[in-house]
Amino acid sequence: MTRIAFILLVHKDPEAVVRQARGLAASGDAVAVHLDARAPAEAWRILQNGLCAEPGVVLVERRRRCGWGGWSLVAATISALRLALARFPDATHFYLLSGDCMAIKSAAHAHELLAREDADWIESVDFFDGGWIKTGMQEERLTRWHLFNERERKGLFYASLGLQRRLGLRRRLPADIRLMIGSQWWCLRRATVEAVLRLLDERPDLRRLFRWSWIPDETLFQTLVRHLVPREEIRSRSPTFLAFTDYGMPASFHDDHHEMLLAQNALFARKISPCATRLRARLSELWASQRRDFPRGGDGRRLHDYLTGRGRIGERYGPRAWEVGGRVGVGRELLLIVAHKRHVAKRLVGMIRQLGDPAVFDYVFDEEGAALPPLGGFERGLAKRSRHPRAMLRVLFEAQDLARLAICIDPCRLDLVQELTEDRTDLRVLEIATRIDDAYLRLHAQRLKLADTDEAGLDLLMPTLRRQFDGESRALGEAGIARHYRLVEGAPAEDNAKALQAFLDIPADTALGIARTPHLFDD
């Protein structure tokens, strides 16, 4: 029978930790809690009072002062593991969690998975050739002595590192161990944990290697498990789902990420925002449920990047600091064609081009391959255009000697629309309102590789994507744009013609001809 002993590393919010530990233990599992020694004495008292009567929960009495990137986190983990091994002799698996982690599957599902797969779940790739480290220090994590914590003693940390570089000092790495790296969040079998701790006791050289390395929680267990366990008994991925921000920090999940999280091929997720009270309540209920139907819904990291790339963090719109500078200028007309279905907007643009005025360009801020004339470098790449969009538009007006210009933009670019309303240009917006059904959303998710082809998994993503699309349309309507017109799929051609006539400033019969274009809204 599977019983998980959760190794819970926490440093704040003791009341939430009490609820978290009780919820995990209520499923018949066990919990060993290590509270950072830097936490206030009151936090320790709350944990003792709240958990001392729980038979499935133990507290690590010898607490460590934990600092990110240092040995202290590994030492705290080892202390909790030793305690859990002694106090829970029937525990079959040991799962490392933080106070910000929550289950995204039921306990019943987790137990069945671990019983079915006789393996250790730990990401473990080659330290030197695996390409796991994307930025910052790489091989020097292990080949230099790290005597100071970078976050607590930054000056000494880099002074020591610089001195070792100048003197050519390098640590000798063990010849019989292949060094590995991976996520610090794992789930290991009992025999594996016992073997790892025994090896550390027998090999002081290994303990010294990781004791004076940088960020050893990403290398010690990953290396020793791969050294001790046959490859076929290792699932080289973390059982905990997490995504990262543009700054390389773990992203926080909010109330509207519920469907996305449940669709991930993982048992827990990190980090759940403390403000996501509804999400936390739903996930707590999920762990206690007997639910077993969890279809896969694609790559959550890719979906998270897609959503935050559209200015979205939860349901908040993130400001873009570089969207400043430059003015389009007074006396110019800028026409924005806003549509979720880009092929419909491009079809309309093709007809507008035939009029000769205004000049029109496709998705210049949304598509890398948008066709643009030479603009002194602005035309070379999407990132460059997006950095200073108003300045780029001004250059486009001047380079083409234009008085009127129309461009297509994605509805997610509400920040740009709002910025342009503050400009002195004559701004008009034409919103193309098309029907967005589940079939289109499925194709959209597959085109962007947000999901695999599993129908149940795709269904699980539909609420997230629909909420995103509906929210963007609603925000555009609430933006208070004075000259906002709508071309609506299914509306009478006469109504759409009025919108086109006002937007483009063209004769009524010309507008009606465009509005009656066959297949204008077709997919």
Side-chain angles (χ1 to χ4, degrees):
M1 179 178 175
T2 300
R3 190 187 190 199
I4 306 171
F6 291 99
I7 307 303
L8 191 55
L9 304 184
V10 300
H11 66 280
K12 62 180 180 180
D13 201 355
E15 293 88 355
V17 173
V18 170
R19 293 192 296 270
Q20 182 184 20
R22 286 176 177 173
L24 293 171
S27 61
D29 295 307
V31 186
V33 182
H34 179 279
L35 176 67
D36 191 332
R38 294 183 296 182
E42 177 65 12
W44 178 245
R45 185 190 64 78
I46 291 172
L47 289 188
Q48 287 180 311
N49 292 341
L51 298 174
C52 64
E54 296 289 333
V57 181
V58 293
L59 301 177
V60 178
E61 297 285 343
R62 187 183 175 188
R63 296 151 56 202
R64 304 272 183 167
R65 291 177 58 86
C66 295
W68 183 86
W71 170 256
S72 54
L73 287 174
V74 175
T77 303
I78 291 174
S79 296
L81 284 171
R82 293 190 188 279
L83 178 62
L85 284 167
R87 294 290 295 274
F88 306 120
D90 59 342
T92 59
H93 294 77
F94 296 77
Y95 197 128
L96 183 62
L97 292 175
S98 76
D100 294 319
C101 297
M102 291 196 73
I104 55 175
K105 299 290 187 292
S106 66
H109 175 91
H111 292 161
E112 288 180 2
L113 174 66
L114 296 178
R116 183 172 65 249
E117 297 273 355
D118 186 19
D120 296 302
W121 298 79
I122 180 169
E123 186 178 29
S124 179
V125 300
D126 188 273
F127 182 88
F128 296 101
D129 299 326
W132 194 84
I133 303 173
K134 303 301 182 185
T135 60
M137 191 184 305
Q138 299 192 29
E139 68 172 40
E140 287 184 319
R141 288 190 184 195
L142 293 175
T143 60
R144 309 290 186 190
W145 283 266
H146 297 280
L147 309 177
F148 308 99
N149 187 284
E150 192 266 351
R151 293 198 172 181
E152 295 175 355
R153 296 175 147 183
K154 189 180 294 287
L156 289 173
F157 178 91
Y158 287 106
S160 171
L161 184 61
L163 180 62
Q164 293 178 66
R165 289 169 177 167
R166 288 193 298 273
L167 296 178
L169 299 178
R170 296 177 63 88
R171 305 178 71 191
R172 180 176 299 176
L173 303 179
D176 62 328
I177 299 286
R178 182 185 178 191
L179 294 163
M180 311 296 286
I181 192 169
S183 169
Q184 65 268 50
W185 310 108
W186 39 254
C187 179
L188 303 177
R189 295 169 295 178
R190 185 182 192 92
T192 300
V193 172
E194 292 173 337
V196 167
L197 297 182
R198 186 165 55 248
L199 183 62
L200 285 173
D201 291 338
E202 295 171 353
R203 294 279 301 268
D205 62 318
L206 293 180
R207 192 179 184 92
R208 285 194 300 270
L209 169 67
F210 296 107
R211 171 67 181 84
W212 303 112
S213 67
W214 181 234
I215 321 182
D217 53 333
E218 293 179 348
T219 52
L220 184 145
F221 289 96
Q222 295 75 7
T223 296
L224 300 188
V225 169
R226 182 58 68 98
H227 180 70
L228 294 166
V229 178
R231 178 186 294 271
E232 59 270 17
E233 295 180 21
I234 297 176
R235 304 295 177 264
S236 186
R237 61 180 181 83
S238 173
T240 297
F241 171 70
L242 68 162
F244 293 91
T245 68
D246 293 341
Y247 301 99
M249 301 299 291
S252 293
F253 298 112
H254 302 273
D255 287 340
D256 57 328
H257 286 124
H258 178 261
E259 292 86 1
M260 182 194 77
L261 292 177
L262 265 60
Q264 300 316 304
N265 189 20
L267 300 179
F268 284 74
R270 182 179 188 270
K271 307 167 58 169
I272 308 301
S273 170
C275 299
T277 53
R278 184 164 174 262
L279 176 61
R280 285 179 168 271
R282 296 176 76 180
L283 294 182
S284 295
E285 293 174 1
L286 176 66
W287 176 252
S289 74
Q290 294 297 310
R291 181 174 173 179
R292 290 173 170 82
D293 57 324
F294 293 101
R296 292 185 58 183
D299 189 336
R301 291 184 179 90
R302 187 185 294 271
L303 178 60
H304 185 270
D305 290 345
Y306 162 75
L307 294 174
T308 54
R310 296 168 71 88
R312 173 189 184 277
I313 305 173
E315 288 189 339
R316 300 170 295 176
Y317 284 86
R320 291 173 168 88
W322 58 84
E323 301 265 349
V324 295
R327 294 277 179 180
V328 176
V330 68
R332 290 172 173 148
E333 292 183 26
L334 179 61
L335 287 68
L336 303 181
I337 301 169
V338 186
H340 277 117
K341 292 186 176 180
R342 297 187 184 180
H343 59 280
V344 177
K346 292 179 180 180
R347 199 173 291 146
L348 177 64
V349 160
M351 289 179 283
I352 295 175
R353 281 200 180 100
Q354 296 177 21
L355 301 176
D357 181 53
V360 61
F361 295 89
D362 291 348
Y363 286 86
V364 297
F365 296 112
D366 301 288
E367 295 182 355
E368 189 75 33
L372 287 168
L375 299 173
F378 268 124
E379 73 280 6
R380 299 180 197 144
L382 191 57
K384 194 155 190 162
R385 291 176 228 149
S386 299
R387 191 166 291 115
H388 300 294
R390 284 193 289 177
M392 182 270 192
L393 290 172
R394 187 188 70 245
V395 171
L396 184 56
F397 268 104
E398 293 174 351
Q400 299 290 292
D401 193 22
L402 300 173
R404 299 198 334 144
L405 169 66
I407 65 169
C408 300
I409 65 169
D410 194 282
C412 73
R413 301 304 303 265
L414 182 64
D415 54 346
L416 175 56
V417 177
Q418 291 173 327
E419 189 176 330
L420 289 169
T421 61
E422 301 169 4
D423 206 293
R424 291 178 294 173
T425 187
D426 179 3
L427 180 69
R428 307 182 194 187
V429 172
L430 178 68
E431 178 187 359
I432 304 179
T434 54
R435 299 188 187 99
I436 305 292
D437 56 18
D438 283 353
Y440 178 82
L441 288 178
R442 286 190 180 92
L443 290 173
H444 180 73
Q446 290 170 345
R447 278 196 302 269
L448 296 177
K449 299 181 180 178
L450 303 179
D452 52 34
T453 56
D454 176 73
E455 284 298 320
L458 285 169
D459 287 342
L460 204 56
L461 286 182
M462 292 304 102
T464 299
L465 290 177
R466 182 165 295 286
R467 184 162 47 240
Q468 176 69 25
F469 276 45
D470 291 346
E472 290 169 351
S473 298
R474 184 173 59 254
L476 183 62
E478 296 172 352
I481 302 167
R483 305 181 75 175
H484 179 185
Y485 309 100
R486 299 182 83 240
L487 195 68
V488 181
E489 182 177 5
E494 291 75 13
D495 292 347
N496 283 337
K498 290 178 182 177
L500 287 168
Q501 181 182 4
F503 177 68
L504 294 170
D505 194 15
I506 56 178
D509 58 342
T510 304
L512 186 59
I514 295 175
R516 287 176 172 170
T517 300
H519 314 297
L520 175 62
F521 294 97
D522 284 1
D523 287 336

